[in-house]
């Protein structure tokens, strides 16, 4: 596994829409593991592939802080929100590609996400609270959208 360089705003790659992942192979799994290591080292709770200059629909996240217990990493290819709650929530968001900037962002409080995991299995995940905010923030990256937009 290798740490990757995180791109900083205004790098134009952060504004591009990413291509779908067509195959979960060893290279894709290695990329996912590199992304997790990079995210933990930053430190952060989420990282999308375009943030390291890879224009593929891949994200990783883990909202468990070191002191709070065992890590719960997610590695997702081709994630998509398939349902959202009517209820909204507001979180102060930050981004590894936009250091030292934060903004209150309103998003659906709960979302269901469909994705392909590192084993090539299609899964669905119900996300609430910070997990819902994080996954939506990272999916925005895959669509070339930043929280400051």
């Amino acid at each position: 596994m290798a740490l990757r360089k995180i791109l900083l705003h205004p790098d134009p790659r952060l504004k591009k829409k990413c291509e779908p992942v067509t195959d979960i192979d060893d290279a894709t799994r290695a990329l996912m593991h590199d992304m997790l290591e990079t995210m933990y080292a930053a430190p952060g709770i989420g990282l999308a592939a375009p943030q390291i200059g890879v224009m593929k629909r891949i994200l990783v996240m883990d909202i468990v802080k070191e002191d709070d217990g065992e890590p719960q990493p997610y590695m997702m290819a081709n994630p998509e929100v398939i349902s959202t709650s009517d209820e909204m929530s507001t979180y102060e968001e930050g981004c590894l590609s936009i250091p030292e900037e934060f903004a209150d962002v309103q998003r659906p409080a709960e979302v269901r996400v469909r994705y392909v995991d590192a084993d090539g299995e299609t899964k669905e995940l119900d996300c609430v609270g910070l997990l819902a905010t994080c996954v939506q923030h990272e999916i925005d990256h895959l669509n070339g959208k930043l929280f400051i937009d």
Side-chain angles (χ1 to χ4, degrees):
M1 290 188 273
L3 292 181
R4 304 286 190 106
K5 182 177 185 292
I6 296 174
L7 303 180
L8 298 178
H9 180 266
D11 190 298
R13 290 171 285 185
L14 295 171
K15 302 296 273 179
K16 292 191 183 330
K17 189 167 179 161
C18 295
E19 296 294 318
V21 175
T22 56
D23 189 29
I24 304 294
D25 55 15
D26 288 342
T28 301
R29 279 187 284 278
L31 172 63
M32 289 173 159
H33 287 286
D34 286 355
M35 288 173 62
L36 267 180
E37 290 303 311
T38 302
M39 177 194 77
Y40 288 135
I45 62 170
L47 185 70
Q51 291 180 271
I52 58 166
V54 177
M55 305 313 294
K56 294 197 182 266
R57 296 187 73 77
I58 296 173
L59 66 83
V60 298
M61 59 183 185
D62 185 348
I63 63 166
V64 178
K65 303 280 193 227
E66 282 180 30
D67 303 339
D68 294 341
E70 287 296 308
Q72 291 184 321
Y74 291 97
M75 297 185 282
M76 300 182 173
N78 302 328
E80 59 178 326
V81 174
I82 57 173
S83 67
T84 62
S85 64
D86 291 333
E87 181 187 347
M88 303 296 281
S89 68
T90 301
Y91 275 92
E92 183 181 65
E93 294 186 24
C95 181
L96 295 174
S97 292
I98 312 170
E100 308 302 318
E101 278 196 47
F102 301 90
D104 285 339
V105 179
Q106 188 177 53
R107 300 181 185 274
E110 299 179 26
V111 296
R112 175 173 276 214
V113 177
R114 181 181 297 133
Y115 65 97
V116 179
D117 71 8
D119 296 320
E121 302 289 325
T122 299
K123 298 204 170 163
E124 291 186 5
L125 179 67
D126 290 316
C127 304
V128 179
L130 182 57
L131 188 62
T133 296
C134 185
V135 76
Q136 291 174 85
H137 176 110
E138 300 309 329
I139 289 172
D140 278 354
H141 273 297
L142 304 180
N143 294 322
K145 184 177 177 188
L146 303 174
F147 83 98
I148 57 172
D149 291 339

